[in-house]
Structures are given as C-alpha cells and as structure tokens.
Amino acid sequence: MSAPVFVVVGHPNKGKSSIVATLAQDDSVEIAPDPGTTTHSRRFPMRVDGRVLYTLVDTPGFQRPRDVLRWLKQHETSVVEHPTIVQRFVEQHAGTSQYAAECGLLRPIIDGGGILYVVDGSVPFGSEYEPEMEILRWTGRSSMALINPIGQERYIEQWEAALGQYFKIVRVFNALTAEFEKRLELLRAFGQLREDWRQPMEVAINDLVNERTRQRRRAAEAIARMLIEMMTLTVGKTIPPQADAKAYYSTLEEEYKQKLRHIERTSRDTVQSVYQHYQVQREDADAAALVSSVVEGDLFATETWRLFGQTRWRLAMLGAASGATVGGIVDASVGGASVLLGTVIGATVGGAVGWHAAEWSSNFRLLTLPGIDALALGGKYLQCGPTTNRNLPYVALGRARWHHRLIALRTHAQRNVIRLDTVPQQAGGLLPLEESEERALERLFAEIRKAAGSERVWDMVEEVRAVVQRLLERDEQS
Ligand SMILES: Nc1nc2c(ncn2[C@@H]2O[C@H](COP(=O)(O)OP(=O)(O)OP(=O)(O)O)[C@@H](O)[C@H]2O)c(=O)[nH]1
Ligand SMILES: [Mg+2]
C-alpha cells in the first residue's frame, strides 16, 4: 500500500512550506519571509530507515483562484461531477504557464492526496479565501484546515467558524515551534481524514517515536566518543636535543586547543545530522560571541567554564568519592609505538582544576624517543596532553547537552542561526547533574584517564553513552 500523501495549499506566505519542513523533517524546504518563495509543487517524503511513512507536497498555493472557479462553474454539469470537472481543468491546462501553480497543486490532489489548507490566524478572515476553499471542496478530497498563528492568535475563533464550513477537521498548528508531541497529535488527526489512512498513520507515529529514541542514542554515542577523544588527545613535536622545551609550549598548546575545538565541532555536526538538521548555521566564535554564546562560543571561554564546569570543591569531593586522583600529575601512560615515556617536565600549568578558562591546563611532557628514532630524529619529543584537567569533560558535556537540546527540539522549519545569548542566564540551572550522575561520570572519567593511550579506552564508549543518553532524554523534557 502506498503511503498517504498530503498536499499543502493556501495563500502565499502563510507558512505552507514551514509545515512541510516540520512534518517531513526536512530542512532543505525553502522558507523565506517574502511571498512567492515556493514556485513549484514539490514532494517531500518522510522516511525512516529508507521507508516512506507519508509524503508532504509543498505548493506555491493558488495564484488565480477566481479564474479557476469561474472556469469550473462554466463547465459545471452536476455536483456529482465536480471532481471530474476539476480533473478536466487540470488536463486542459497542464503545461500552460497560465495555470501552472493551480495544475501543480491540483494534480497530486486528484491523484489521491489529502488537502492541508493553511491560513494565518493573525489576520482576519476575508472573502478572498472563499474561491480557493470552494475549489478544494470541488475536488471532493479529504481535507483539513490548519490555522498557523503567525505572530499572534487574534483571529483564530473567526477562522475556526469560517473554516468549519468547508473542512472536516480544523486545527491550530504552529509549524515553527511545534514540539514532537504536537506533531504526533497532528499526524494522528491526518489518520482520521480517511479510513484507509488510519493504520498507516498509526504505523508512522510508532516509527517516528522509535526513530527518536534511536536518534538520541546515536547522539549520545557521538558525545561519548567526543569526550573520550578530548580526554585522550595528545599532540607532539620533535625538538632539537639542546632546545628549551618551554619555547615550544605556546604553539603546541595552541595546536592542542585547535584539535579539541575540532573534535567538538565534528561531534556537533554528527549530532545535527542525526536529527537531519543539515543546514543549521552555528554562530562562529567571533570576538563578541566568545563571551555571549556558550555553545558556539569558544570552548575555552571563561563564561563556558563558569557555567558548565564543576567547582574546584565539587571536583575534590567527587574525586575523593570515586577514588580518582585529585590534583597533581595523573599517571601518564602515553603509549604509542615510537614514543616511550621519558622525563616529565613542567607537568601541569596551574595543575589544580578550576572553573575558569584562565585555569585551563594542558600538560606538557618531554619524552625521549627510543632507539632508532632517537638517533634519526634527535631524541626529544615534546608532548601536550592527555590533559589532567578534570573539568574538561564536564565543560564539554555541558556544552554538548545544551547544543543537543537545541537541535533535538528544533523544528525543520526554523532557519535562525543558533545563537545562545540567552544561555548564560539559564544554562547553569537548566541542565544540572544529579549527584548520582556526577558520581557515575566521575568514575567513568577517571577510568578514561587511566586508559588513555591504549585502545581499551574505546571499550568505555558504551557506558558513557548510556549515562549521556539518560541526560539527553531528561534535557529534552526540561
Ligand atoms: N512567527 C511565525 N512565523 C512563521 C510561522 N510560520 C511561518 N512563519 C514565517 O512566515 C514566513 C513564510 O513562511 P513560509 O513557510 O515560507 O510560507 P509559504 O506559505 O510557504 O510562503 P510562499 O512559498 O511564499 O507561498 C517565513 O519567514 C516563516 O519563517 C509561525 O508559525 N510563526
Ligand atoms: Mg512556500
């Protein structure tokens, strides 16, 4: 059985494409503030696992409804014949430029699509809407009206009264902000339009719910991998035997931080594609955004650490409780075939963990290259990382949770750049960790630090993923 098709029609600029984008979870749908954005009818299937659950058809809406209705009435024979006459209209005008928009939207309706008629609840009802509603009635197809409260809800009651005369079901639906549950509710209503759509729409809803759990799981795994990568990251450089290692600190540390930023960005991209948000623009960290934007602001911005980091005191408590090393130099098993652990110099820069970026510490180690490498390369290898900073995973996790929440709750109709100026006021209190979660994380983080440099650190992904996934689920409800 083919999946239900819904054709979205209405006046220009009333949010038709926004509804298509949100329900098809497709951010490639063209949406813009100016009327006339959609110029051709186009199908957007909602797929899960490659299977089409339903299809939305985006249309430009009627351009010349009065002329069309006049034509229909001129050719009217009896009410029974109305759908046939509409079909004749399309057949006679298909391929002409005069009624391209009308033919483009009526064709999929004639072919069996349901009608979603979209109006703007912030402007009053007027007689100019009647011809198009009349044409839609002539098609004889199942139809529903959606009142999109663009901006305000002033005229909703008036619209409900008018639309009720033409449409079996009338709903208020804000495509821009509709939460997952709201979207499911609407899909359920689609299932009521026709008896043979009830079952496929129930299946669709079920699949969407399951898909959402899978998405959260995949996002949590991406975040878990990010945390492990960050915590185990090292960068290094071979330096001349007589050189002063400290002279290389700043460039090496910059490289190290760039890599951490890159790991974070890559993880963000993964999370966004998990939720099919491919075109989201994130505010890049320009000077102003560094302070104001937490997720896209710099990973090392003070504000970020203040918001998402643990306090020194808290870390000490957690460390003691979990038996993790508190402060000082963590066991530095570096691993890697050509690198042996040598002398540790200048181990930590401001070794204590803190909640300010200024206290960010990446540690340097000077390693002696073994055997043949020592002869060939001059014998000294300066390495930055793995970090001993115990706050890094908390900060990275806090940022990742905030980003995930924005993405998971974002409809595909939203086109705004993700900016998080509002975060600093809210974030601290919004995504807290419960004591048991902190303990679980602290234990896992300590184990990751211990296993850094060996492949078995990746065995930790599953456990970290499970904890993160629970957090993500809760975040969506907060
Ligand atoms: N505030 C608000 N804006 C909305 C809502 N729905 C749509 N918009 C905005 O209204 C404008 C038009 O939305 P579209 O979805 O492109 O409307 P359309 O009916 O497809 O427009 P055309 O293709 O030009 O006919 C866009 O700027 C949307 O962001 C809403 O529910 N609330
Ligand atoms: Mg459009």
Side-chain angles (χ1 to χ4, degrees):
M1 190 172 58
S2 63
V5 174
F6 304 98
V7 187
V8 183
V9 292
H11 262 37
N13 220 31
K14 298 303 182 197
K16 300 183 296 295
S17 299
S18 302
I19 285 170
V20 171
T22 292
L23 295 181
Q25 298 187 22
D26 190 330
D27 65 355
S28 73
V29 178
E30 270 190 274
I31 294 170
D34 341 278
T37 303
T38 307
T39 52
H40 295 93
S41 292
R42 197 178 143 195
R43 297 165 67 91
F44 292 91
M46 174 69 226
R47 285 197 182 90
V48 167
D49 279 343
R51 209 165 55 81
V52 177
L53 304 182
Y54 52 82
T55 295
L56 274 304
V57 183
D58 194 13
T59 76
F62 289 96
Q63 308 296 313
R64 313 174 58 185
R66 281 178 205 284
D67 294 345
V68 177
L69 190 59
R70 196 175 306 118
W71 191 98
L72 295 178
K73 284 186 172 160
Q74 277 165 2
H75 296 78
E76 182 168 20
T77 45
S78 81
V79 173
V80 187
E81 294 300 319
H82 278 184
T84 318
I85 296 164
V86 174
Q87 184 162 3
R88 220 160 76 213
F89 172 86
V90 174
E91 278 158 9
Q92 286 198 11
H93 297 90
T96 68
S97 59
Q98 198 183 6
Y99 293 113
E102 279 76 13
C103 292
L105 76 86
L106 287 171
R107 166 59 65 198
I109 295 174
I110 292 168
D111 290 346
I115 297 164
L116 302 180
Y117 183 66
V118 183
V119 301
D120 176 2
S122 65
V123 297
F125 171 77
S127 58
E128 69 270 27
Y129 297 90
E130 283 173 33
E132 51 194 39
M133 295 199 286
E134 187 64 23
I135 297 167
L136 294 174
R137 190 153 62 183
W138 272 58
T139 65
R141 294 298 172 189
S142 310
S143 60
M144 178 191 292
L146 297 176
I147 305 173
N148 187 7
I150 297 188
Q152 43 165 314
E153 313 196 348
R154 250 174 100 182
Y155 298 102
I156 286 183
E157 280 179 26
Q158 199 185 89
W159 273 108
E160 280 173 334
L163 294 166
Q165 298 173 43
Y166 288 87
F167 300 92
K168 183 171 152 193
I169 302 176
V170 179
R171 287 283 163 98
V172 177
F173 184 74
N174 186 328
L176 219 55
T177 58
E179 295 148 16
F180 187 61
E181 280 306 321
K182 278 256 154 55
R183 295 182 331 238
L184 296 186
E185 228 172 80
L186 187 65
L187 295 176
R188 223 165 267 130
F190 287 3
Q192 291 162 14
L193 282 177
R194 245 170 65 179
E195 183 49 35
D196 60 340
W197 284 345
R198 196 175 50 79
Q199 202 253 345
M201 289 316 286
E202 267 170 27
V203 172
I205 289 166
N206 196 40
D207 285 2
L208 288 173
V209 170
N210 292 338
E211 171 68 355
R212 202 161 168 84
T213 309
R214 280 197 301 269
Q215 285 171 321
R216 199 183 293 121
R217 188 190 168 99
R218 276 155 53 206
E221 183 175 329
I223 294 170
R225 287 186 180 278
M226 174 195 77
L227 294 175
I228 295 175
E229 255 186 83
M230 283 181 159
M231 292 180 71
T232 57
L233 175 72
T234 62
V235 296
K237 186 178 172 56
T238 307
I239 59 172
Q242 260 61 54
D244 175 13
K246 286 205 174 74
Y248 296 89
Y249 275 18
S250 66
T251 44
L252 207 53
E253 179 166 333
E254 200 35 58
E255 187 192 336
Y256 178 74
K257 285 184 171 179
Q258 279 305 346
K259 288 217 162 129
L260 282 177
R261 292 183 182 107
H262 177 76
I263 292 168
E264 192 185 49
R265 271 199 298 274
T266 309
S267 166
R268 297 272 191 278
D269 291 343
T270 307
V271 168
Q272 286 171 198
S273 57
V274 160
Y275 288 96
Q276 287 155 50
H277 282 293
Y278 301 111
Q279 334 247 341
V280 180
Q281 284 181 38
R282 299 191 306 249
E283 183 89 341
D284 267 335
D286 59 35
L290 280 188
V291 201
S292 63
S293 153
V294 171
V295 172
E296 283 319 305
D298 191 65
L299 173 60
F300 301 99
T302 309
E303 188 68 5
T304 287
W305 284 64
R306 194 179 62 72
L307 283 169
F308 292 119
Q310 298 277 8
T311 62
R312 237 188 243 125
W313 176 83
R314 189 79 202 135
L315 277 177
M317 294 278 292
L318 286 168
S322 74
T325 325
V326 181
I329 304 159
V330 175
D331 172 34
S333 51
V334 207
S338 66
V339 183
L340 283 186
L341 181 62
T343 338
V344 176
I345 61 154
T348 53
V349 180
V353 276
W355 54 318
H356 291 288
E359 294 175 50
W360 160 256
S361 68
S362 30
N363 42 321
F364 292 93
R365 298 191 184 87
L366 195 58
L367 311 167
T368 311
L369 295 168
I372 195 91
D373 282 355
L375 292 172
L377 297 168
K380 264 193 192 174
Y381 186 79
L382 183 66
Q383 178 173 292
C384 184
T387 183
T388 55
N389 187 304
R390 288 182 42 222
N391 233 342
L392 177 70
Y394 289 102
V395 173
L397 175 60
R399 286 162 61 89
R401 285 171 69 191
W402 189 261
H403 171 260
H404 172 270
R405 184 173 180 279
L406 278 173
I407 292 300
L409 297 181
R410 182 180 172 95
T411 67
H412 291 76
Q414 275 167 257
R415 292 291 179 271
N416 57 315
V417 173
I418 295 196
R419 268 208 70 151
L420 297 140
D421 302 33
T422 49
V423 173
Q425 289 84 43
Q426 306 168 33
L430 207 62
L431 304 178
L433 286 168
E434 281 166 18
E435 174 123 13
S436 60
E437 293 160 349
E438 281 180 332
R439 282 172 194 277
L441 286 170
E442 186 60 23
R443 183 183 60 78
L444 291 169
F445 292 159
E447 277 186 51
I448 292 167
R449 273 189 293 269
K450 248 188 243 156
S454 93
E455 277 303 307
R456 79 194 152 82
V457 77
W458 297 106
D459 297 343
M460 309 283 305
V461 170
E462 256 314 286
E463 266 189 274
V464 180
R465 194 267 311 149
V467 178
V468 172
Q469 191 174 337
R470 280 196 297 277
L471 292 174
L472 299 186
E473 184 166 5
R474 199 181 65 213
D475 294 345
E476 280 178 54
Q477 279 138 26
S478 69

